[in-house]
Amino acid sequence: MKFLAITLIVHAPHPVTGIQKPTNDRFREVIDNALLAEELGFDGFGVGERHERPFISSSPPVVLSHLAALTSRIRLFTAVTTLSLLDPVRAYEDYATLDHLSGGRLELIVGKGNGSAQRDLFQVTTEDQWDRNAESYDVFRQIWRQDKVTAATRFRPELNEAEVWPRPLQQPIRIWHGSATSKESVDLAARHGDPLFSANVTNPIEPYAELIRYYRERWEHYGHDPADIAVGAGTAGVYVARTTQEALTAYRPVFEGNLAFQKRLGLEPVFSTLEDFVERSSALIGSPQQIIDKVHRYHEQFGHTVLHLQADAAGLTERQHRDSLELFHSAVAPVLRREIPDPPFPWGPVFAQSTPAPASSRVPEPADR
């Protein structure tokens, strides 16, 4: 099993103290968390894309480019690239450039995105968002694979033997499809033989398991080999401690602060108590053995081989956050790596016909820290 640390760069008041950090400090926190993820041996670090409050993750290519310069081994993910809002030509230019700068460490998780404020900002409607997403993905995919592209598009000017530069380093880049509730995203992934990443954050396991089953059905419907399926899944929170009681005691103020915030917004919480949240959500809160058992329980339903954890402290102290991730790395990850298989493809740069990268573009060995 592979492990990612992911942030949506939420910029909101602290759930316990109510204090909101300055924007610059919040970005510095993201950088520090990425460096920590590489130091601890995580396999990837992801940055989300949102164009509305309370997020400041509107420019993942810029953030990931900065991280590419500071890291040497960890793979860099988008989580997710909101193709329904973007010009696919411009998105390609940004990410092809980033892929070169990172030495082929980039992977994309694409999705429609959500939220009425960002739809309004980009003049996307609920009626056309799925068509925009599919068209943008198709154009993006073609540009990555072809030197010249012709496309009769609806939502941007048509392309006629268009050349887009720079040409890519990875050929082609690996693209995952992020999905929370939509069969449209799942079908798009299955049609193209692409891996799926289930959000698996807001609800209990059942709706996510149902979508993953649908993905597997559509995968076979389109004639792909079931052995080539790769599924990733998210988690709703993480705090690993030596004992269950220690974990619950430390995480309770965070949960109660988030619960109060939801109620102020007029939202009906899915999980009204910490105990219910720990039991029925995907949150990994407890002792190492509890975490291992819970991931296995989800794996029985999902068959997933990649797991993402929250990269941010998210209400915990910096010391609590680091101690939790260190304990995950030392006591949980080795067991799950041994007991759950990796995805059915090499975890590294993707090159046409499996040819090695030129020496100048190979990912450097990890630097000593």
Side-chain angles (χ1 to χ4, degrees), residues 2 43-44 73-77 99 102-107 169-176 342-352 354-357 361-363:
K2 300 295 186 183
D43 302 291
R73 175 197 58 81
I74 199 165
R75 292 192 67 74
L76 304 171
F77 282 74
D99 194 41
S102 67
R105 288 189 285 144
L106 179 65
E107 300 206 19
L169 175 57
Q170 294 189 86
Q171 301 181 30
I173 192 172
R174 183 175 296 115
I175 300 179
W176 302 68
D342 285 344
F345 42 71
W347 194 261
V350 181
F351 297 106
S354 300
T355 54
S361 63
R362 289 179 188 158
V363 180

Side-chain angles (χ1 to χ4, degrees), residues 211-266:
L211 269 182
I212 292 171
R213 287 193 294 269
Y214 179 73
Y215 170 67
R216 294 179 182 277
E217 292 169 5
R218 299 306 293 170
W219 181 278
E220 294 194 43
H221 169 79
Y222 288 116
H224 304 302
D225 185 345
D228 294 333
I229 285 178
V231 173
T235 54
V238 60
Y239 187 70
V240 190
R242 294 293 175 184
T243 68
T244 304
Q245 191 55 51
E246 181 184 343
L248 291 175
T249 299
Y251 204 84
R252 191 175 300 279
V254 177
F255 175 82
E256 291 178 350
N258 288 328
L259 189 67
F261 181 70
Q262 291 179 52
K263 290 180 177 178
R264 287 196 298 272
L265 293 178

Side-chain angles (χ1 to χ4, degrees), residues 62-253:
V62 176
V63 178
L64 290 172
S65 291
H66 188 69
L67 297 180
L70 297 176
T71 59
S72 60
R73 175 197 58 81
I74 199 165
R75 292 192 67 74
L76 304 171
F77 282 74
T78 64
V80 300
T81 295
T82 52
L83 279 181
S84 65
L85 308 179
L86 305 178
D87 182 325
V89 175
R90 191 71 188 93
Y92 165 83
E93 292 172 335
D94 284 342
Y95 285 116
T97 301
L98 171 53
D99 194 41
H100 280 279
L101 295 176
S102 67
R105 288 189 285 144
L106 179 65
E107 300 206 19
L108 296 182
I109 307 175
V110 303
K112 173 187 66 65
N114 52 30
S116 60
Q118 61 181 12
R119 284 199 303 267
D120 292 345
L121 188 64
F122 288 90
Q123 296 184 319
V124 173
T125 69
T126 54
E127 292 76 23
D128 69 19
Q129 59 185 346
W130 292 111
D131 290 339
R132 285 179 178 272
N133 187 63
E135 177 182 289
S136 290
Y137 175 67
D138 182 65
V139 172
F140 186 97
R141 182 184 174 91
Q142 286 186 61
I143 297 172
W144 207 280
R145 287 165 169 77
Q146 301 171 21
D147 291 337
K148 295 183 179 182
V149 174
T150 297
T153 50
R154 289 176 53 201
F155 301 107
R156 59 144 289 125
E158 294 186 0
L159 299 173
N160 183 22
E161 291 293 290
E163 297 181 271
V164 189
W165 295 89
R167 297 311 302 148
L169 175 57
Q170 294 189 86
Q171 301 181 30
I173 192 172
R174 183 175 296 115
I175 300 179
W176 302 68
H177 294 251
S179 176
T181 58
S182 63
K183 288 188 173 182
E184 290 88 345
S185 292
V186 166
D187 188 80
L188 188 64
R191 187 187 322 155
H192 289 287
D194 294 332
L196 180 72
F197 218 105
S198 172
N200 190 39
V201 168
T202 307
N203 297 301
I205 192 172
E206 290 80 10
Y208 304 114
E210 181 181 349
L211 269 182
I212 292 171
R213 287 193 294 269
Y214 179 73
Y215 170 67
R216 294 179 182 277
E217 292 169 5
R218 299 306 293 170
W219 181 278
E220 294 194 43
H221 169 79
Y222 288 116
H224 304 302
D225 185 345
D228 294 333
I229 285 178
V231 173
T235 54
V238 60
Y239 187 70
V240 190
R242 294 293 175 184
T243 68
T244 304
Q245 191 55 51
E246 181 184 343
L248 291 175
T249 299
Y251 204 84
R252 191 175 300 279

Side-chain angles (χ1 to χ4, degrees), residues 259-279:
L259 189 67
F261 181 70
Q262 291 179 52
K263 290 180 177 178
R264 287 196 298 272
L265 293 178
L267 302 174
E268 184 67 29
V270 178
F271 309 102
S272 58
T273 68
L274 175 60
E275 288 71 19
D276 188 37
F277 181 63
V278 171
E279 174 62 28

Side-chain angles (χ1 to χ4, degrees), residues 290-335:
Q290 281 180 291
I291 303 307
I292 292 167
D293 292 343
K294 190 168 194 178
V295 173
H296 271 291
R297 190 164 79 243
Y298 271 74
H299 179 71
E300 289 173 2
Q301 294 284 324
F302 293 173
H304 61 308
T305 53
V306 180
L307 181 72
H308 93 51
L309 305 179
Q310 198 167 31
D312 303 310
L316 299 167
T317 67
E318 290 184 11
R319 185 72 260 174
Q320 286 174 324
H321 179 56
R322 185 182 182 100
D323 288 349
S324 170
L325 292 185
E326 287 180 344
L327 188 55
F328 181 91
H329 173 65
S330 64
V332 176
V335 177

